[in-house]
Amino acid sequence: MNDARQRRKGPLGSILVIIPTYNEVDNIRRVVTRVRETVPEAHVLVADDNSPDGTGKVADELAAADERVRVLHRKGKEGLGAAYLAGFRWGIDNGYDVLVEMDADGSHQPEELPRLLTALKGADLVLGSRWVPGGRVVNWPRHREILSRGGSTYSRLLLGVPIRDVTGGYRAFRKETLLGLGMDDVASQGYCFQVDLAHRAVRAGFQVVEVPITFVERERGDSKMSRDIVAEALWRVTAWGVRSRVDQVLGRSRHTG
Ligand SMILES: Nc1nc2c(ncn2[C@@H]2O[C@H](COP(=O)(O)OP(=O)(O)OP(=O)(O)O)[C@@H](O)[C@H]2O)c(=O)[nH]1
Ligand SMILES: [Mg+2]
């Protein structure tokens, strides 16, 4: 395990909540307001991929009215992973100590953020988890739950990561965790971006803690989930799993995926 880890325990420092958006015009005001009300000391960065529905413009209005809200305008839709990586880099370059991932659609309730942050005082990475005792999903279609639980179980077994909810996207990272897990060669995009980061954090020896959350199905706007996102997760996780087994057999150790 990582010795430096011990030094990172304790006070959190400055917090940036990154909210990636693509066509979330009906959700963005509400989620930003809820974050600012619940954790007033946290700053918010909306990472918008030039949403055709004008989400970026609404985000600019929010930023104009509140100096703790900023907007990262990106050229076009490049996927969740790319938006988060750009947000993490912006946050680290601007001196933030804690970087939080949160969806715009209300599935990740800002009111639960204080619990994630409290847990981060004793950890390197905190995952909001639907699949630990106390965690649950509200209004989620059965097929989505099966896909999510199945994806987590498959990843856990194949990659050997001791995490119940590997695909979830409500997370709080210490800056040092992101810097230590090799962000620069992360290529995954959709769900698999979350699996990739959790897997890297575990392999790098960071302390990863799951905190139960109540995940609420989006009420407004469209899901960006697609067959391609599931396919990407399946092939990448399988490839990482096979590669690490081959490495084990050949006695090699590999740092990145
Ligand atoms: N910047 C950016 N944000 C994205 C992109 N794809 C999805 N998002 C955002 O990432 C968050 C999660 O996307 P969702 O569409 O809610 O995906 P999901 O939560 O897997 O699907 P649902 O459960 O059906 O809502 C939302 O805030 C989206 O607006 C993208 O390509 N670029
Ligand atoms: Mg969602």
Side-chain angles (χ1 to χ4, degrees):
M1 289 278 140
N2 198 324
D3 291 340
R5 203 176 74 193
Q6 296 307 324
R7 293 199 298 274
R8 282 192 290 275
K9 299 262 172 73
L12 295 179
S14 55
I15 301 161
L16 182 68
V17 178
I18 303 168
I19 305 178
T21 53
Y22 192 74
N23 288 347
E24 301 286 1
V25 75
D26 293 329
N27 292 314
I28 190 63
R29 267 183 206 285
R30 189 176 310 227
V31 72
V32 170
T33 305
R34 285 169 66 188
V35 172
R36 295 286 297 113
E37 281 174 5
T38 313
V39 188
E41 70 274 25
H43 294 197
V44 174
L45 178 70
V46 178
D48 183 67
D49 277 8
N50 201 10
S51 298
D53 73 351
T55 303
K57 244 193 211 150
V58 175
D60 282 339
E61 288 168 23
L62 296 169
D66 181 348
E67 62 179 16
R68 295 191 170 191
V69 178
R70 303 293 292 271
V71 188
L72 187 60
H73 289 285
R74 296 167 41 74
K75 273 201 223 86
K77 185 162 172 29
E78 285 185 16
L80 183 77
Y84 268 130
L85 290 174
F88 291 151
R89 287 194 194 100
W90 186 95
I92 290 168
D93 288 349
N94 284 276
Y96 291 93
D97 302 300
V98 171
L99 297 302
V100 174
E101 296 183 353
M102 184 187 286
D103 285 0
D105 59 6
S107 290
H108 301 149
Q109 301 185 80
E111 295 71 23
E112 298 196 306
L113 183 54
R115 279 196 300 113
L116 268 70
L117 294 173
T118 299
L120 191 64
K121 289 183 181 155
D124 299 307
L125 165 60
V126 172
L127 310 181
S129 179
R130 296 159 289 189
W131 315 131
V132 292
R136 61 191 194 110
V137 292
V138 174
N139 293 338
W140 229 25
R142 189 75 186 137
H143 72 275
R144 285 299 302 271
E145 178 167 346
I146 291 168
L147 186 66
S148 175
R149 281 183 184 271
S152 267
T153 304
Y154 185 70
S155 308
R156 184 170 73 249
L157 296 178
L158 205 69
L159 304 177
V161 288
I163 296 171
R164 308 307 297 188
D165 189 347
V166 197
T167 59
Y170 195 7
R171 300 179 162 187
F173 293 83
R174 284 183 185 266
K175 165 183 76 180
E176 293 83 357
T177 310
L178 285 169
L179 292 171
L181 55 73
M183 258 195 335
D184 288 337
D185 62 355
V186 171
S188 9
Q189 289 297 321
Y191 278 136
C192 136
F193 173 76
Q194 308 295 4
V195 179
D196 197 350
L197 259 54
H199 183 211
R200 284 167 184 256
V202 168
R203 271 190 311 177
F206 289 112
Q207 187 174 5
V208 181
V209 169
E210 285 184 275
V211 165
I213 58 162
T214 298
F215 177 100
V216 185
E217 167 66 331
R218 68 158 71 236
E219 285 177 2
R220 289 167 298 276
D222 297 324
S223 170
K224 279 95 217 169
M225 251 289 281
S226 67
R227 223 172 264 261
D228 286 355
I229 286 178
V230 177
E232 185 207 11
L234 196 62
W235 76 257
R236 281 201 200 266
V237 170
T238 305
W240 295 329
V242 168
R243 214 164 19 166
S244 69
R245 290 288 179 279
V246 170
D247 287 347
Q248 263 170 15
V249 170
L250 298 179
R252 291 193 301 234
S253 83
R254 189 186 284 269
H255 187 65
T256 56

